[in-house]
Amino acid sequence: MAHPRLVVPFRDIDLTALPEVGGKNASIGELLRSLAPVGVRVPDGFAITAAAFRLHLAQEGGDQTIYDALDRLDVTDVSALARVAAFARERVRALALPADLRGEILTAYRQLSRGYEEAATDVAVRSSATAEDLPSASFAGQHESYLNVRGEDALVEAVRECMASLFTDRAIVYRAERGFRHRDVALSVGVQKMVRSDLASAGVMFTLDTESGHRGVVTINGSWGLGESVVKGRVNPDEVWVFKPTIEFPRAIIRRERGDKLVKLVYADGDGKTVVEEAVSPADRRALVLTDDEALILARWGIAIEKHYSERAGHPTPMDIEWAKDGRSGQLFIVQARPETVHAQEKSQRLEVFHFRGGGTILARGKSVGGRVGVGVARVIRSADELSTFRDGEVLVAPSTDPDWEPVLKRAAAVVTEQGGRTCHAAIVSREMGLPCVVGTINATSAIRSGQEVTVSCAEGDEGRVYEGRIPFEREEIDPAALPVPRVPIMLNVGDPRNAFRQAKLPSAGVGLARIEFIVSSWIGVHPMALLHPERLAPDVAAQIRQRVADWPTPVEFFVDRLATGVAQIGAAFYPRPVIVRFSDFKTNEYAGLLGGRPFEPVENNPMIGFRGASRYYDDRYREAFALECAAIRRVRSQMGLVNVKVMIPFCRTLGEGRMVVEEMARNGLRRGEEGLEIYVMCEIPNNVILATEFAEIFDGFSIGSNDLTQLTLGVDRDSELLAHLFDERDPGVKKLIEMVTKAAHAAGRKVGLCGQAPSDHPEFAEFLADTGLDSISVTADALPAVVKRLAKLG
């Protein structure tokens, strides 16, 4: 019988070797053999196999002693767990490596060092369990890794420490809870040439959206220094979303968020340490760790890795990938790849929807993980020494979490941390456990006190919120596959881009109304004319704006970038389904409320029928700002490749006004028909109905705004409480106008839909619209299931 190999170069390994080298090492070998030839850069090294681990453990009967103790262990007994785990680790450490194994390790290390023309090169020594990185279990953070290991004695010591980490408290509990027999899991060790990301940056990349599971994007997290800071949640990293279908377009990056990146992990100068954490300079905190080109390179590699693994598996396999940038050479590297373990295991596309029945004071905000809501008494834990105070069902609040905390995490109602991004340990483990988790809050341990009842919401988009008190809510589960097919296509009204990836799971025909007002008010918050004409602002207001736009090259780029990012996220979420984006439709009082807005807005007695919609776009008081809106749409379509985005003009009063707006758009690079651009008009003024045939010559379609059409047909201010009893979209006069415009539009070969609130509030109104022959009905996401069911009954 052939002697099992104890040490194997990565280049001699592929995924078939997983039982002997573990998921991590097998992936490195697979990348080197199959993807390095097509440009994916991977650092070299070697694996110490599971056979070597077993050989080491079998000395002096160590394996039997350890496994007998584990067989008798009740993992819920925390004291016994700590005692047995410490005994097992010490037993592994106390055994010297067998001479032949030590010799093979040092021979491989010397050869690796010679390849880099060094006597003793710096390496990463990483654990790779034989049950690790399986599609059903990530084993994230369960075992130890050591960075910047240099020299033969240090390497041998690090290898022993890695082997011992198979028996950390957390790893023992993890295996027991997931049904792995301790004897069935061995540990391989990978020795990999260090990438000097301590002089640059590193992070994690997923080939899907980590929260919704949307498969159309690559999400990249990154921070300065070694990647452990990101993995262990010590920093709030930069985030980048890249859209896969348009990866070859110049700006396939559909969103980028800057993290504060307070600290970084770098090489230590001595004192027995190999790495040390240090503060990041203010300038680097503001800087992005990756250029656009670098992010696109990583995204292309991620797509290639996902494609390769999917072909090997015979089914789609989204990936969890670690990357690093070498500060000396400037080159990017992939240092690890494994199958994603949460969304890939979902058996159905069921959606959980949470409806709050009230509000509350927000104590902390961060990045949402898990898409759920949790309620409980807060427990602030600042160090592992305080974990014993935690009680089942409490909300864990901490600066960050450590893998050793996992037995406590599974007892929590929710998790809140001050540091970390969506790919850190706390986020990954919370996703696997189905816990709502808010990371990167910055202030949680000071804003929340132990004993305080809180509601943790990760169900309101990608911003997670911690509310004071118990906020009542209802949970609804929607199975898109079980919804019937309506006889009229149902589209969605979308305002907040942060909800778009989740809402795209609903069986809609696209987005009938994407409002940009939310993006302008929440993501930008500044009047566009104030960005163009700061000389008209008060000094204090100008200073506030300068601070807000400081991270962008110019104030104009700030506006265009933020608006394009918001629109792109909606466009990408629903791609290739159509997304109809309405240009801004703020009233003058609403515009004045934006930072810097008052000098640019007139005071009107009735803004509802005043200077709004189309009338602003060609007027000198707003024309320059409309050019910025057009620039954002042009970027989304032409540079990001999201040609499914169409545009719509609101509150267009006359034919002449319609022509002037279309001409103004053309001057700003948006020409009807060019690259398939369609321009719709809102039908919300009786004149749009009366002259529908003529409006159809100017525009490609109509979208009925039932709120304004009702207001102007009945002569009722829709905001008037006194006249609320008269405001009704179901009035015969309103319905007659809808029938008239539908008939005229179809006669002219134009589509007509409706995007008002009425079908969401009144399902019987949706029946009327279906009978009228509308081409689509657009409703809010929470109303879609009921409207679909109602219309299906008519089929």
Side-chain angles (χ1 to χ4, degrees):
M1 181 177 178
H3 188 280
R5 300 181 70 179
L6 303 180
V7 177
V8 187
F10 283 147
R11 293 183 180 278
D12 292 347
I13 299 170
D14 61 17
L15 291 179
T16 62
L18 188 148
E20 274 302 304
V21 299
K24 193 178 282 114
N25 288 336
S27 77
I28 296 169
E30 185 75 22
L31 294 173
L32 278 166
R33 287 166 62 96
S34 302
L35 291 164
V38 296
V40 178
R41 199 174 292 112
V42 185
D44 210 347
F46 56 90
I48 302 163
T49 67
F53 170 81
R54 297 187 189 98
L55 179 66
H56 177 65
L57 204 61
Q59 296 178 103
E60 303 177 15
D63 53 350
Q64 194 61 43
T65 305
I66 291 171
Y67 291 126
D68 285 349
L70 289 173
D71 287 343
R72 296 190 297 268
L73 175 65
D74 175 4
V75 295
T76 63
D77 184 336
V78 177
S79 297
L81 170 65
R83 185 175 61 254
V84 171
F87 161 76
R89 292 194 300 272
E90 189 52 43
R91 192 83 173 86
V92 176
R93 293 190 190 105
L95 297 169
L97 290 180
D100 53 347
L101 172 58
R102 178 187 173 93
E104 288 194 38
I105 292 172
L106 295 184
T107 297
Y109 177 62
R110 291 163 189 158
Q111 183 175 349
L112 182 66
S113 298
R114 284 196 298 272
Y116 292 94
E117 299 181 347
E118 296 179 278
T121 195
D122 51 339
V123 293
V125 183
R126 303 179 186 273
S127 304
S128 180
T130 55
E132 191 172 63
D133 298 338
L134 300 175
S136 58
S138 70
F139 280 77
Q142 301 306 310
H143 312 112
E144 299 295 348
S145 294
Y146 299 90
L147 305 176
N148 186 25
V149 176
R150 189 187 295 270
E152 296 182 357
D153 291 341
L155 173 60
V156 169
E157 180 65 20
V159 168
R160 275 211 310 258
E161 289 292 336
C162 279
M163 290 180 172
S165 72
L166 186 68
F167 303 111
T168 60
D169 300 27
R170 61 186 184 268
I172 291 169
V173 172
Y174 191 94
R175 291 194 296 271
E177 290 181 341
R178 287 158 179 78
F180 290 94
R181 284 185 359 122
H182 297 295
R183 285 177 169 81
D184 293 340
V185 181
L187 194 129
S188 171
V189 178
V191 178
Q192 187 177 38
K193 170 62 180 172
M194 283 290 296
V195 176
R196 289 302 302 270
S197 60
D198 61 305
L199 304 174
S201 59
V204 179
M205 168 170 60
F206 281 78
T207 60
L208 45 59
D209 177 59
T210 56
E211 301 319 304
S212 67
H214 195 288
R215 303 292 180 89
V217 293
V218 175
T219 57
I220 305 170
N221 282 198
S223 192
W224 300 115
L226 300 170
E228 293 294 289
S229 296
V230 175
V231 173
K232 292 187 175 180
R234 292 289 298 143
V235 293
N236 298 328
D238 292 345
E239 296 181 286
V240 183
W241 286 260
V242 180
F243 190 47
K244 292 179 187 176
T246 62
I247 187 66
E248 298 307 324
F249 277 73
R251 287 181 180 263
I253 296 173
I254 60 170
R255 184 177 172 191
R256 188 193 276 278
E257 296 293 336
R258 197 181 311 260
D260 58 24
K261 308 181 292 290
L262 291 174
V263 297
K264 62 180 177 179
L265 198 64
V266 299
Y267 278 22
D269 293 332
D271 298 328
K273 296 181 179 179
T274 58
V275 293
V276 65
E277 189 174 88
E278 66 178 33
V280 175
S281 70
D284 280 347
R285 288 178 57 190
R286 290 192 300 270
L288 296 169
V289 301
L290 289 172
T291 66
D292 284 1
D293 287 344
E294 288 170 339
L296 291 174
I297 288 171
L298 287 176
R300 291 186 185 99
W301 288 359
I303 293 169
I305 292 169
E306 179 184 58
K307 180 175 183 290
H308 178 77
Y309 270 73
S310 298
E311 290 172 350
R312 288 291 302 261
H315 55 76
T317 306
M319 299 297 292
D320 170 357
I321 301 164
E322 293 183 22
W323 63 270
K325 179 181 176 180
D326 193 292
R328 289 178 169 173
S329 67
Q331 293 180 321
L332 294 166
F333 290 84
I334 299 298
V335 297
Q336 185 177 325
R338 55 185 169 230
E340 188 270 346
T341 59
V342 177
H343 297 291
Q345 297 304 303
E346 292 175 343
K347 295 292 189 292
S348 73
Q349 291 295 310
R350 288 179 180 271
L351 300 176
E352 282 185 304
V353 181
F354 293 83
H355 307 281
F356 283 98
R357 302 304 179 202
T361 301
I362 298 175
L363 301 175
R365 303 171 187 263
K367 299 167 184 174
S368 65
V369 175
R372 291 180 173 174
V373 176
V375 179
V377 173
R379 178 68 60 184
V380 178
I381 302 291
R382 291 183 171 84
S383 70
D385 296 338
E386 300 175 358
L387 287 174
S388 60
T389 66
F390 189 84
R391 299 292 177 264
D392 289 359
E394 291 183 328
V395 173
L396 176 65
V397 181
S400 62
T401 67
D402 185 271
D404 283 325
W405 295 24
E406 189 166 321
V408 171
L409 292 182
K410 70 184 182 66
R411 297 159 47 204
V415 179
V416 181
T417 71
E418 293 183 321
Q419 299 149 1
R422 293 188 179 90
T423 58
C424 73
H425 168 262
I428 291 173
V429 173
S430 294
R431 259 185 231 107
E432 287 189 355
M433 294 181 175
L435 293 175
C437 174
V438 180
V439 297
T441 61
I442 300 176
N443 67 335
T445 62
S446 58
I448 303 168
R449 63 182 187 276
S450 289
Q452 183 177 22
E453 193 167 43
V454 296
T455 299
V456 179
S457 172
C458 294
E460 301 174 86
D462 64 2
E463 180 182 78
R465 298 169 182 170
V466 183
Y467 293 96
E468 183 178 21
R470 180 181 291 268
I471 309 299
F473 65 89
E474 296 176 3
R475 174 185 172 276
E476 178 186 7
E477 188 173 274
I478 300 172
D479 183 0
L483 291 175
V485 178
R487 63 183 178 115
V488 178
I490 303 299
M491 304 178 82
L492 289 179
N493 299 333
V494 178
D496 188 346
R498 297 173 300 189
N499 295 325
F501 284 135
R502 288 189 186 279
Q503 292 173 343
K505 289 185 174 182
L506 290 168
S508 72
V511 176
L513 173 61
R515 302 181 179 93
I516 70 169
E517 289 82 13
F518 177 90
I519 304 169
V520 174
S521 60
S522 297
W523 287 23
I524 297 172
V526 182
H527 196 292
M529 292 298 287
L531 298 170
L532 291 160
H533 293 284
E535 72 279 0
R536 295 174 60 181
L537 303 174
D540 61 326
V541 175
Q544 291 181 59
I545 293 176
R546 283 196 300 272
Q547 183 176 9
R548 186 169 297 197
V549 306
D551 293 330
W552 278 261
T554 65
V556 165
E557 176 58 22
F558 163 74
F559 185 93
V560 174
D561 177 63
R562 295 302 284 168
L563 181 54
T565 288
V567 171
Q569 190 161 337
I570 300 173
F574 287 86
Y575 186 90
R577 289 172 285 177
V579 171
I580 301 174
V581 177
R582 187 181 69 189
F583 283 113
S584 64
D585 192 26
F586 284 121
K587 313 330 179 261
T588 49
N589 58 321
E590 295 167 337
Y591 266 118
L594 295 172
L595 185 61
R598 297 205 178 278
F600 302 96
E601 295 298 332
V603 177
E604 297 183 295
N605 291 327
N606 193 349
M608 189 69 75
I609 55 172
F611 187 45
R612 61 173 285 200
S615 63
R616 299 179 68 94
Y617 304 157
Y618 56 86
D619 189 287
D620 286 340
R621 286 169 291 188
Y622 192 79
R623 176 181 274 122
E624 292 174 276
F626 182 62
L628 302 187
E629 294 185 33
C630 290
I633 297 296
R634 192 170 66 248
R635 180 174 295 181
V636 169
R637 286 178 50 84
S638 300
Q639 297 183 32
M640 297 181 181
L642 292 164
V643 293
N644 61 319
V645 169
K646 311 170 189 297
V647 293
M648 184 156 63
I649 309 301
F651 223 75
C652 185
R653 293 173 170 92
T654 69
L655 298 172
E657 187 166 72
R659 295 187 187 98
M660 283 190 285
V661 170
V662 171
E663 290 170 2
E664 193 69 30
M665 290 176 60
R667 278 192 286 271
N668 289 295
L670 291 177
R671 296 174 180 82
R672 181 181 171 202
E674 196 170 280
E675 294 182 328
L677 176 64
E678 293 181 357
I679 305 176
Y680 284 68
V681 65
M682 291 288 293
C683 177
E684 48 196 348
I685 300 169
N687 200 36
N688 301 142
V689 179
I690 296 167
L691 298 177
T693 301
E694 290 80 4
F695 273 103
E697 296 174 2
I698 303 169
F699 298 103
D700 295 293
F702 298 82
S703 184
I704 301 167
S706 59
N707 289 341
D708 272 321
L709 186 61
T710 301
Q711 171 178 246
L712 297 174
T713 300
L714 302 182
V716 175
D717 183 345
R718 73 190 201 198
D719 289 338
S720 171
E721 294 181 6
L722 295 175
L723 300 177
H725 64 287
L726 293 174
F727 187 90
D728 190 347
E729 299 96 328
R730 297 166 294 179
D731 184 271
V734 178
K735 294 169 75 171
K736 181 68 174 177
L737 289 177
I738 291 173
E739 290 173 335
M740 288 171 60
V741 73
T742 302
K743 182 177 180 180
H746 286 166
R750 297 289 186 254
K751 291 182 179 180
V752 58
L754 185 140
C755 62
Q757 186 63 27
S760 300
D761 294 341
H762 310 294
E764 72 278 8
F765 189 71
E767 293 184 17
F768 158 72
L769 297 174
D771 291 337
T772 302
L774 262 67
D775 297 289
S776 65
I777 300 172
S778 191
V779 300
T780 56
D782 58 350
L784 182 140
V787 173
V788 165
K789 291 174 183 176
R790 184 81 177 221
L791 294 183
K793 293 177 182 177
L794 301 174

